[in-house]
Short mmCIF file of all heavy atoms in Angstrom, two decimals:
data_model
loop_
_atom_site.label_atom_id
_atom_site.label_comp_id
_atom_site.label_asym_id
_atom_site.label_seq_id
_atom_site.Cartn_x
_atom_site.Cartn_y
_atom_site.Cartn_z
N GLY A 1 -35.75 35.21 47.45
CA GLY A 1 -34.74 34.28 47.37
C GLY A 1 -35.23 32.89 47.65
O GLY A 1 -36.04 32.67 48.45
N GLU A 2 -34.63 32.04 46.87
CA GLU A 2 -35.08 30.63 46.95
C GLU A 2 -34.17 29.94 47.87
O GLU A 2 -32.96 29.89 47.76
CB GLU A 2 -35.09 29.89 45.46
CG GLU A 2 -35.70 28.61 45.46
CD GLU A 2 -35.70 28.10 44.08
OE1 GLU A 2 -34.61 27.71 43.52
OE2 GLU A 2 -36.79 27.94 43.50
N ASP A 3 -34.88 29.27 48.93
CA ASP A 3 -33.97 28.56 49.85
C ASP A 3 -34.54 27.24 50.25
O ASP A 3 -34.13 26.65 51.32
CB ASP A 3 -33.66 29.36 51.16
CG ASP A 3 -35.00 29.86 51.85
OD1 ASP A 3 -36.08 29.27 51.62
OD2 ASP A 3 -34.92 30.78 52.54
N GLY A 4 -35.52 26.68 49.41
CA GLY A 4 -36.01 25.36 49.65
C GLY A 4 -36.93 25.05 48.59
O GLY A 4 -37.31 25.80 47.80
N LEU A 5 -37.37 23.77 48.68
CA LEU A 5 -38.40 23.27 47.82
C LEU A 5 -39.62 23.00 48.60
O LEU A 5 -39.62 22.40 49.75
CB LEU A 5 -37.91 21.94 47.11
CG LEU A 5 -36.80 22.03 46.26
CD1 LEU A 5 -36.25 20.58 45.82
CD2 LEU A 5 -36.90 23.01 45.23
N LEU A 6 -40.85 23.38 48.10
CA LEU A 6 -42.12 23.06 48.79
C LEU A 6 -42.79 21.89 48.20
O LEU A 6 -42.81 21.70 46.96
CB LEU A 6 -43.10 24.35 48.62
CG LEU A 6 -42.62 25.54 49.32
CD1 LEU A 6 -43.60 26.76 48.95
CD2 LEU A 6 -42.40 25.41 50.85
N VAL A 7 -43.36 21.08 49.08
CA VAL A 7 -44.18 20.01 48.62
C VAL A 7 -45.44 20.02 49.48
O VAL A 7 -45.43 20.53 50.62
CB VAL A 7 -43.43 18.62 48.87
CG1 VAL A 7 -42.15 18.59 48.00
CG2 VAL A 7 -43.17 18.36 50.25
N ALA A 8 -46.45 19.46 48.89
CA ALA A 8 -47.70 19.38 49.72
C ALA A 8 -47.59 18.49 50.85
O ALA A 8 -46.98 17.45 50.80
CB ALA A 8 -48.83 18.86 48.68
N PRO A 9 -48.33 18.86 51.98
CA PRO A 9 -48.21 17.99 53.16
C PRO A 9 -48.77 16.57 52.92
O PRO A 9 -49.66 16.43 52.09
CB PRO A 9 -49.08 18.70 54.14
CG PRO A 9 -49.19 20.16 53.59
CD PRO A 9 -49.06 20.04 52.26
N SER A 10 -48.11 15.59 53.40
CA SER A 10 -48.50 14.20 53.14
C SER A 10 -48.44 13.67 51.74
O SER A 10 -48.96 12.66 51.37
CB SER A 10 -49.94 14.03 53.67
OG SER A 10 -50.07 14.41 55.09
N SER A 11 -47.72 14.35 50.85
CA SER A 11 -47.53 13.95 49.48
C SER A 11 -46.24 13.18 49.31
O SER A 11 -45.21 13.96 49.05
CB SER A 11 -47.73 15.05 48.53
OG SER A 11 -47.42 14.65 47.20
N ILE A 12 -46.32 11.91 49.48
CA ILE A 12 -45.07 11.16 49.30
C ILE A 12 -44.40 11.29 47.88
O ILE A 12 -43.23 11.36 47.75
CB ILE A 12 -45.28 9.53 49.57
CG1 ILE A 12 -45.89 9.54 51.09
CG2 ILE A 12 -44.16 8.75 49.31
CD1 ILE A 12 -46.35 8.19 51.42
N GLU A 13 -45.26 11.29 46.89
CA GLU A 13 -44.83 11.49 45.56
C GLU A 13 -44.03 12.80 45.34
O GLU A 13 -43.06 12.82 44.74
CB GLU A 13 -46.03 11.40 44.44
CG GLU A 13 -46.76 10.01 44.51
CD GLU A 13 -47.76 9.87 45.57
OE1 GLU A 13 -48.14 10.92 46.27
OE2 GLU A 13 -48.13 8.78 45.87
N GLU A 14 -44.67 13.96 45.84
CA GLU A 14 -43.94 15.22 45.71
C GLU A 14 -42.71 15.18 46.38
O GLU A 14 -41.64 15.73 46.00
CB GLU A 14 -44.97 16.35 46.18
CG GLU A 14 -45.91 16.67 45.15
CD GLU A 14 -46.68 17.97 45.51
OE1 GLU A 14 -46.19 18.87 46.09
OE2 GLU A 14 -48.00 17.92 45.28
N LEU A 15 -42.67 14.63 47.59
CA LEU A 15 -41.44 14.60 48.39
C LEU A 15 -40.40 13.76 47.66
O LEU A 15 -39.21 14.20 47.60
CB LEU A 15 -41.69 13.96 49.78
CG LEU A 15 -40.53 13.88 50.76
CD1 LEU A 15 -39.87 15.21 50.96
CD2 LEU A 15 -40.91 13.24 52.11
N ALA A 16 -40.82 12.68 47.10
CA ALA A 16 -39.80 11.81 46.40
C ALA A 16 -39.22 12.49 45.24
O ALA A 16 -38.01 12.49 44.89
CB ALA A 16 -40.52 10.59 46.00
N GLU A 17 -40.12 13.31 44.44
CA GLU A 17 -39.66 14.13 43.26
C GLU A 17 -38.64 15.21 43.80
O GLU A 17 -37.75 15.39 43.06
CB GLU A 17 -40.93 14.77 42.66
CG GLU A 17 -41.75 13.66 41.89
CD GLU A 17 -43.05 14.27 41.26
OE1 GLU A 17 -43.13 15.52 41.31
OE2 GLU A 17 -43.80 13.48 40.99
N ALA A 18 -38.96 15.87 44.82
CA ALA A 18 -38.05 16.92 45.35
C ALA A 18 -36.74 16.40 45.78
O ALA A 18 -35.64 16.90 45.48
CB ALA A 18 -38.66 17.68 46.51
N ILE A 19 -36.80 15.22 46.44
CA ILE A 19 -35.51 14.62 46.81
C ILE A 19 -34.62 14.13 45.60
O ILE A 19 -33.51 14.31 45.55
CB ILE A 19 -35.80 13.39 47.71
CG1 ILE A 19 -36.29 13.95 49.10
CG2 ILE A 19 -34.48 12.64 48.04
CD1 ILE A 19 -36.74 12.85 50.01
N THR A 20 -35.33 13.59 44.68
CA THR A 20 -34.62 13.10 43.42
C THR A 20 -34.08 14.42 42.73
O THR A 20 -33.02 14.35 42.17
CB THR A 20 -35.62 12.41 42.50
OG1 THR A 20 -36.06 11.21 43.19
CG2 THR A 20 -35.06 11.90 41.24
N ARG A 21 -34.87 15.43 42.58
CA ARG A 21 -34.32 16.69 41.99
C ARG A 21 -33.17 17.12 42.65
O ARG A 21 -32.14 17.48 42.02
CB ARG A 21 -35.54 17.72 42.07
CG ARG A 21 -35.11 19.00 41.31
CD ARG A 21 -36.32 19.94 41.20
NE ARG A 21 -35.85 21.25 40.79
CZ ARG A 21 -36.57 22.33 40.90
NH1 ARG A 21 -37.68 22.36 41.71
NH2 ARG A 21 -36.15 23.54 40.50
N LEU A 22 -33.02 17.20 44.00
CA LEU A 22 -31.89 17.57 44.75
C LEU A 22 -30.74 16.63 44.59
O LEU A 22 -29.57 17.06 44.33
CB LEU A 22 -32.24 17.61 46.22
CG LEU A 22 -33.16 18.81 46.65
CD1 LEU A 22 -33.60 18.71 48.06
CD2 LEU A 22 -32.41 20.27 46.40
N MET A 23 -31.01 15.44 44.40
CA MET A 23 -29.97 14.42 44.26
C MET A 23 -29.33 14.50 42.88
O MET A 23 -28.12 14.39 42.65
CB MET A 23 -30.51 12.98 44.31
CG MET A 23 -30.83 12.65 45.75
SD MET A 23 -31.65 10.97 46.07
CE MET A 23 -31.04 9.94 44.80
N ASP A 24 -30.11 14.93 41.79
CA ASP A 24 -29.64 15.04 40.48
C ASP A 24 -29.13 16.38 40.09
O ASP A 24 -28.39 16.48 39.04
CB ASP A 24 -30.83 14.76 39.60
CG ASP A 24 -31.32 13.29 39.59
OD1 ASP A 24 -30.56 12.43 40.11
OD2 ASP A 24 -32.44 13.05 39.11
N ASP A 25 -29.28 17.39 40.96
CA ASP A 25 -28.90 18.79 40.52
C ASP A 25 -27.97 19.44 41.51
O ASP A 25 -28.40 20.01 42.43
CB ASP A 25 -30.20 19.62 40.37
CG ASP A 25 -29.87 20.92 39.66
OD1 ASP A 25 -28.80 21.44 39.68
OD2 ASP A 25 -30.87 21.51 39.06
N GLU A 26 -26.75 19.24 41.29
CA GLU A 26 -25.74 19.69 42.32
C GLU A 26 -25.86 21.26 42.45
O GLU A 26 -25.67 21.73 43.53
CB GLU A 26 -24.30 19.36 41.86
CG GLU A 26 -23.25 19.82 42.75
CD GLU A 26 -21.85 19.36 42.38
OE1 GLU A 26 -21.67 18.75 41.37
OE2 GLU A 26 -20.94 19.70 43.14
N GLU A 27 -25.97 21.98 41.27
CA GLU A 27 -26.08 23.42 41.36
C GLU A 27 -27.28 23.87 42.20
O GLU A 27 -27.20 24.75 42.95
CB GLU A 27 -26.23 23.99 40.08
CG GLU A 27 -26.23 25.49 39.92
CD GLU A 27 -26.17 26.02 38.53
OE1 GLU A 27 -25.49 25.51 37.59
OE2 GLU A 27 -26.97 27.08 38.20
N LEU A 28 -28.41 23.19 42.03
CA LEU A 28 -29.61 23.62 42.87
C LEU A 28 -29.38 23.32 44.37
O LEU A 28 -29.66 24.07 45.16
CB LEU A 28 -30.78 22.73 42.36
CG LEU A 28 -32.09 22.86 43.18
CD1 LEU A 28 -32.61 24.26 43.14
CD2 LEU A 28 -33.16 21.94 42.66
N ARG A 29 -28.74 22.11 44.67
CA ARG A 29 -28.32 21.92 45.98
C ARG A 29 -27.55 22.96 46.69
O ARG A 29 -27.73 23.42 47.72
CB ARG A 29 -27.61 20.50 46.20
CG ARG A 29 -28.44 19.35 46.00
CD ARG A 29 -27.65 17.99 46.43
NE ARG A 29 -26.31 17.94 45.99
CZ ARG A 29 -25.96 17.31 44.89
NH1 ARG A 29 -26.94 16.85 44.00
NH2 ARG A 29 -24.80 17.26 44.42
N LYS A 30 -26.43 23.38 45.92
CA LYS A 30 -25.56 24.40 46.40
C LYS A 30 -26.26 25.74 46.62
O LYS A 30 -26.10 26.40 47.66
CB LYS A 30 -24.33 24.55 45.49
CG LYS A 30 -23.45 23.46 45.52
CD LYS A 30 -22.18 23.70 44.58
CE LYS A 30 -21.18 22.48 44.72
NZ LYS A 30 -20.07 22.77 43.81
N ARG A 31 -26.97 26.07 45.58
CA ARG A 31 -27.77 27.40 45.66
C ARG A 31 -28.78 27.41 46.84
O ARG A 31 -28.92 28.37 47.62
CB ARG A 31 -28.44 27.63 44.35
CG ARG A 31 -29.04 29.09 44.38
CD ARG A 31 -29.66 29.41 43.05
NE ARG A 31 -31.05 28.76 42.85
CZ ARG A 31 -31.24 27.83 41.87
NH1 ARG A 31 -30.48 27.43 41.09
NH2 ARG A 31 -32.50 27.35 41.88
N LEU A 32 -29.52 26.29 47.02
CA LEU A 32 -30.54 26.24 48.04
C LEU A 32 -29.80 26.26 49.41
O LEU A 32 -30.14 26.94 50.32
CB LEU A 32 -31.39 24.97 47.98
CG LEU A 32 -32.37 24.94 46.79
CD1 LEU A 32 -33.15 23.77 46.84
CD2 LEU A 32 -33.26 26.22 46.79
N GLY A 33 -28.70 25.52 49.55
CA GLY A 33 -27.96 25.45 50.73
C GLY A 33 -27.25 26.91 51.08
O GLY A 33 -27.47 27.33 52.32
N GLU A 34 -26.76 27.54 50.17
CA GLU A 34 -26.26 28.88 50.37
C GLU A 34 -27.35 29.91 50.74
O GLU A 34 -27.08 30.67 51.70
CB GLU A 34 -25.45 29.38 49.17
CG GLU A 34 -24.11 28.62 48.93
CD GLU A 34 -23.48 28.82 47.52
OE1 GLU A 34 -24.09 29.74 46.78
OE2 GLU A 34 -22.49 28.29 47.32
N ASN A 35 -28.44 29.79 50.07
CA ASN A 35 -29.47 30.81 50.32
C ASN A 35 -30.14 30.50 51.69
O ASN A 35 -30.46 31.46 52.46
CB ASN A 35 -30.54 30.86 49.25
CG ASN A 35 -30.04 31.35 48.00
OD1 ASN A 35 -29.14 32.13 47.99
ND2 ASN A 35 -30.81 31.01 46.88
N GLY A 36 -30.27 29.22 52.26
CA GLY A 36 -30.79 28.78 53.42
C GLY A 36 -29.81 29.31 54.47
O GLY A 36 -30.34 29.87 55.47
N ARG A 37 -28.53 29.15 54.31
CA ARG A 37 -27.57 29.57 55.46
C ARG A 37 -27.71 31.12 55.55
O ARG A 37 -27.69 31.67 56.63
CB ARG A 37 -26.18 29.18 54.94
CG ARG A 37 -25.09 29.53 56.07
CD ARG A 37 -23.84 28.93 55.66
NE ARG A 37 -22.70 29.41 56.67
CZ ARG A 37 -22.63 28.88 57.87
NH1 ARG A 37 -23.37 27.85 58.20
NH2 ARG A 37 -21.63 29.41 58.63
N LYS A 38 -27.76 31.87 54.29
CA LYS A 38 -27.82 33.27 54.48
C LYS A 38 -29.13 33.78 55.23
O LYS A 38 -29.13 34.70 56.08
CB LYS A 38 -27.86 33.94 53.07
CG LYS A 38 -26.50 33.83 52.33
CD LYS A 38 -26.66 34.47 51.04
CE LYS A 38 -25.37 34.25 50.15
NZ LYS A 38 -25.60 34.61 48.76
N ARG A 39 -30.21 33.04 54.95
CA ARG A 39 -31.49 33.38 55.65
C ARG A 39 -31.41 33.15 57.14
O ARG A 39 -31.84 33.97 57.96
CB ARG A 39 -32.57 32.52 55.00
CG ARG A 39 -33.95 32.67 55.66
CD ARG A 39 -35.00 31.76 55.01
NE ARG A 39 -36.32 31.97 55.69
CZ ARG A 39 -37.17 32.86 55.40
NH1 ARG A 39 -36.91 33.84 54.65
NH2 ARG A 39 -38.32 33.01 56.07
N VAL A 40 -30.81 32.09 57.55
CA VAL A 40 -30.67 31.72 59.02
C VAL A 40 -29.78 32.85 59.65
O VAL A 40 -30.18 33.37 60.65
CB VAL A 40 -30.06 30.29 59.22
CG1 VAL A 40 -29.69 30.10 60.60
CG2 VAL A 40 -31.13 29.32 58.76
N THR A 41 -28.70 33.17 59.04
CA THR A 41 -27.74 34.08 59.61
C THR A 41 -28.40 35.52 59.68
O THR A 41 -28.17 36.28 60.60
CB THR A 41 -26.40 34.17 58.94
OG1 THR A 41 -26.49 34.46 57.64
CG2 THR A 41 -25.66 32.87 59.15
N ARG A 42 -29.21 35.83 58.72
CA ARG A 42 -29.88 37.09 58.63
C ARG A 42 -31.02 37.16 59.69
O ARG A 42 -31.18 38.30 60.26
CB ARG A 42 -30.30 37.38 57.19
CG ARG A 42 -31.02 38.76 57.05
CD ARG A 42 -31.24 38.98 55.57
NE ARG A 42 -32.13 37.97 54.96
CZ ARG A 42 -31.69 37.08 53.88
NH1 ARG A 42 -30.49 37.17 53.37
NH2 ARG A 42 -32.51 36.22 53.45
N HIS A 43 -31.87 36.22 59.86
CA HIS A 43 -33.05 36.19 60.69
C HIS A 43 -32.85 35.63 62.02
O HIS A 43 -33.90 35.87 62.93
CB HIS A 43 -34.16 35.54 59.89
CG HIS A 43 -34.70 36.24 58.64
ND1 HIS A 43 -35.33 37.35 58.57
CD2 HIS A 43 -34.38 35.86 57.38
CE1 HIS A 43 -35.62 37.74 57.33
NE2 HIS A 43 -34.93 36.82 56.54
N TYR A 44 -31.86 34.83 62.35
CA TYR A 44 -31.90 34.11 63.54
C TYR A 44 -30.60 34.47 64.21
O TYR A 44 -29.75 33.50 64.54
CB TYR A 44 -32.11 32.63 63.38
CG TYR A 44 -33.48 32.42 62.72
CD1 TYR A 44 -33.49 32.05 61.30
CD2 TYR A 44 -34.54 32.42 63.52
CE1 TYR A 44 -34.72 31.88 60.77
CE2 TYR A 44 -35.88 32.17 62.87
CZ TYR A 44 -35.86 31.97 61.52
OH TYR A 44 -37.14 31.74 60.98
N ASP A 45 -30.27 35.60 64.54
CA ASP A 45 -29.07 36.14 65.22
C ASP A 45 -29.18 35.63 66.72
O ASP A 45 -30.02 36.00 67.40
CB ASP A 45 -28.91 37.56 65.07
CG ASP A 45 -27.66 38.10 65.84
OD1 ASP A 45 -26.55 38.09 65.24
OD2 ASP A 45 -27.81 38.48 66.96
N LEU A 46 -28.13 34.87 67.15
CA LEU A 46 -28.16 34.38 68.51
C LEU A 46 -28.23 35.52 69.54
O LEU A 46 -29.01 35.39 70.49
CB LEU A 46 -26.90 33.47 68.63
CG LEU A 46 -26.83 32.81 70.20
CD1 LEU A 46 -27.94 31.92 70.45
CD2 LEU A 46 -25.53 32.03 70.25
N ALA A 47 -27.33 36.50 69.47
CA ALA A 47 -27.37 37.58 70.44
C ALA A 47 -28.78 38.29 70.52
O ALA A 47 -29.16 38.60 71.64
CB ALA A 47 -26.31 38.54 70.08
N LYS A 48 -29.29 38.51 69.43
CA LYS A 48 -30.72 39.22 69.46
C LYS A 48 -31.69 38.21 70.12
O LYS A 48 -32.52 38.69 70.84
CB LYS A 48 -31.09 39.54 68.02
CG LYS A 48 -30.38 40.64 67.38
CD LYS A 48 -30.94 40.88 65.94
CE LYS A 48 -30.17 41.87 65.28
NZ LYS A 48 -30.69 42.13 63.86
N ASN A 49 -31.66 37.00 69.88
CA ASN A 49 -32.56 36.07 70.39
C ASN A 49 -32.45 35.88 71.91
O ASN A 49 -33.41 35.80 72.65
CB ASN A 49 -32.60 34.71 69.64
CG ASN A 49 -33.28 34.70 68.33
OD1 ASN A 49 -34.08 35.53 68.09
ND2 ASN A 49 -32.68 33.92 67.43
N VAL A 50 -31.13 35.94 72.35
CA VAL A 50 -30.91 35.83 73.76
C VAL A 50 -31.42 37.07 74.52
O VAL A 50 -32.12 37.08 75.52
CB VAL A 50 -29.41 35.59 74.03
CG1 VAL A 50 -29.04 35.71 75.47
CG2 VAL A 50 -29.03 34.23 73.51
N ASP A 51 -31.08 38.23 73.95
CA ASP A 51 -31.56 39.43 74.47
C ASP A 51 -33.18 39.50 74.54
O ASP A 51 -33.71 39.87 75.58
CB ASP A 51 -31.11 40.68 73.77
CG ASP A 51 -29.57 40.87 73.88
OD1 ASP A 51 -28.97 40.26 74.71
OD2 ASP A 51 -29.05 41.64 72.97
N ARG A 52 -33.74 39.00 73.57
CA ARG A 52 -35.19 38.99 73.45
C ARG A 52 -35.80 38.10 74.48
O ARG A 52 -36.77 38.43 75.17
CB ARG A 52 -35.70 38.58 72.08
CG ARG A 52 -37.22 38.63 71.85
CD ARG A 52 -37.59 38.50 70.40
NE ARG A 52 -39.01 38.54 70.30
CZ ARG A 52 -39.82 37.62 69.85
NH1 ARG A 52 -39.30 36.54 69.36
NH2 ARG A 52 -41.16 37.86 69.80
N LEU A 53 -35.23 36.90 74.60
CA LEU A 53 -35.67 35.92 75.55
C LEU A 53 -35.49 36.43 77.01
O LEU A 53 -36.38 36.37 77.92
CB LEU A 53 -34.94 34.64 75.43
CG LEU A 53 -35.40 33.45 76.25
CD1 LEU A 53 -37.00 33.21 75.97
CD2 LEU A 53 -34.65 32.25 75.99
N ALA A 54 -34.34 37.08 77.20
CA ALA A 54 -34.05 37.69 78.61
C ALA A 54 -35.12 38.77 78.93
O ALA A 54 -35.57 38.81 80.02
CB ALA A 54 -32.62 38.22 78.66
N GLN A 55 -35.45 39.62 77.87
CA GLN A 55 -36.57 40.61 78.19
C GLN A 55 -37.85 39.94 78.40
O GLN A 55 -38.63 40.44 79.33
CB GLN A 55 -36.72 41.48 76.92
CG GLN A 55 -37.55 42.75 77.13
CD GLN A 55 -37.00 43.59 78.25
OE1 GLN A 55 -35.87 44.00 78.36
NE2 GLN A 55 -37.88 43.86 79.26
N ILE A 56 -38.21 38.92 77.82
CA ILE A 56 -39.45 38.26 77.95
C ILE A 56 -39.52 37.66 79.45
O ILE A 56 -40.56 37.87 80.10
CB ILE A 56 -39.65 37.08 77.04
CG1 ILE A 56 -39.95 37.61 75.60
CG2 ILE A 56 -40.76 36.06 77.47
CD1 ILE A 56 -39.96 36.57 74.51
N PHE A 57 -38.41 37.01 79.90
CA PHE A 57 -38.26 36.51 81.21
C PHE A 57 -38.53 37.70 82.27
O PHE A 57 -39.12 37.55 83.21
CB PHE A 57 -37.02 35.77 81.52
CG PHE A 57 -37.10 34.34 80.82
CD1 PHE A 57 -35.91 33.79 80.37
CD2 PHE A 57 -38.33 33.64 80.72
CE1 PHE A 57 -35.92 32.68 79.71
CE2 PHE A 57 -38.29 32.45 80.09
CZ PHE A 57 -37.07 31.85 79.73
N SER A 58 -37.71 38.78 82.02
CA SER A 58 -37.76 40.00 82.83
C SER A 58 -39.09 40.56 82.95
O SER A 58 -39.63 40.85 84.06
CB SER A 58 -36.75 40.97 82.28
OG SER A 58 -36.80 42.11 83.13
N ASP A 59 -39.80 40.66 81.87
CA ASP A 59 -41.14 41.28 81.85
C ASP A 59 -42.07 40.33 82.72
O ASP A 59 -42.95 40.78 83.44
CB ASP A 59 -41.63 41.40 80.43
CG ASP A 59 -40.93 42.46 79.72
OD1 ASP A 59 -40.16 43.27 80.26
OD2 ASP A 59 -41.12 42.57 78.45
N ARG A 60 -41.90 38.98 82.46
CA ARG A 60 -42.81 38.08 83.11
C ARG A 60 -42.63 38.12 84.66
O ARG A 60 -43.53 38.05 85.44
CB ARG A 60 -42.55 36.65 82.62
CG ARG A 60 -43.41 35.57 83.18
CD ARG A 60 -44.82 35.79 82.87
NE ARG A 60 -45.65 34.69 83.50
CZ ARG A 60 -46.78 34.81 83.96
NH1 ARG A 60 -47.44 36.04 83.95
NH2 ARG A 60 -47.39 33.83 84.49
N LEU A 61 -41.27 38.18 85.03
CA LEU A 61 -41.11 38.36 86.53
C LEU A 61 -41.63 39.53 87.11
O LEU A 61 -42.18 39.54 88.23
CB LEU A 61 -39.56 38.12 86.79
CG LEU A 61 -38.93 36.75 86.58
CD1 LEU A 61 -37.44 36.87 86.63
CD2 LEU A 61 -39.50 35.76 87.59
N GLU A 62 -41.47 40.62 86.40
CA GLU A 62 -41.93 41.93 86.94
C GLU A 62 -43.61 41.78 86.96
O GLU A 62 -44.22 42.29 87.93
CB GLU A 62 -41.72 43.06 85.93
CG GLU A 62 -40.27 43.47 86.08
CD GLU A 62 -40.00 44.61 85.05
OE1 GLU A 62 -40.91 45.40 84.65
OE2 GLU A 62 -38.86 44.77 84.74
N SER A 63 -44.26 41.13 86.06
CA SER A 63 -45.63 41.04 86.14
C SER A 63 -46.04 40.06 87.28
O SER A 63 -47.21 40.31 87.76
CB SER A 63 -46.21 40.53 84.82
OG SER A 63 -45.91 39.12 84.70
N LEU A 64 -45.26 39.22 87.70
CA LEU A 64 -45.55 38.44 88.84
C LEU A 64 -45.16 39.09 90.16
O LEU A 64 -45.49 38.59 91.29
CB LEU A 64 -44.85 37.06 88.79
CG LEU A 64 -45.22 36.18 87.56
CD1 LEU A 64 -44.24 35.01 87.49
CD2 LEU A 64 -46.63 35.70 87.65
N GLY A 65 -44.55 40.25 90.06
CA GLY A 65 -44.22 41.00 91.33
C GLY A 65 -43.06 40.51 91.99
O GLY A 65 -42.79 40.64 93.23
N LYS A 66 -42.08 39.97 91.20
CA LYS A 66 -40.87 39.42 91.83
C LYS A 66 -39.71 40.31 91.42
O LYS A 66 -39.61 40.79 90.33
CB LYS A 66 -40.65 38.01 91.35
CG LYS A 66 -41.80 37.10 91.87
CD LYS A 66 -41.55 35.62 91.64
CE LYS A 66 -42.66 34.80 92.16
NZ LYS A 66 -42.50 33.51 92.23
#
């Protein structure tokens, strides 16, 4: 799934071309935006991340003997 445009690091020319492409192509903007949103909701679930972080803290406290 395509959810963004890649440009070489520090390449001002490529970045400008990508921005221009997005400005000129409404369908591309919509598709990338929709795909990006789907990716975020699929991979970055708040409840899962909170549970995972709580487990990390719990494990760390146990390892410190508290």
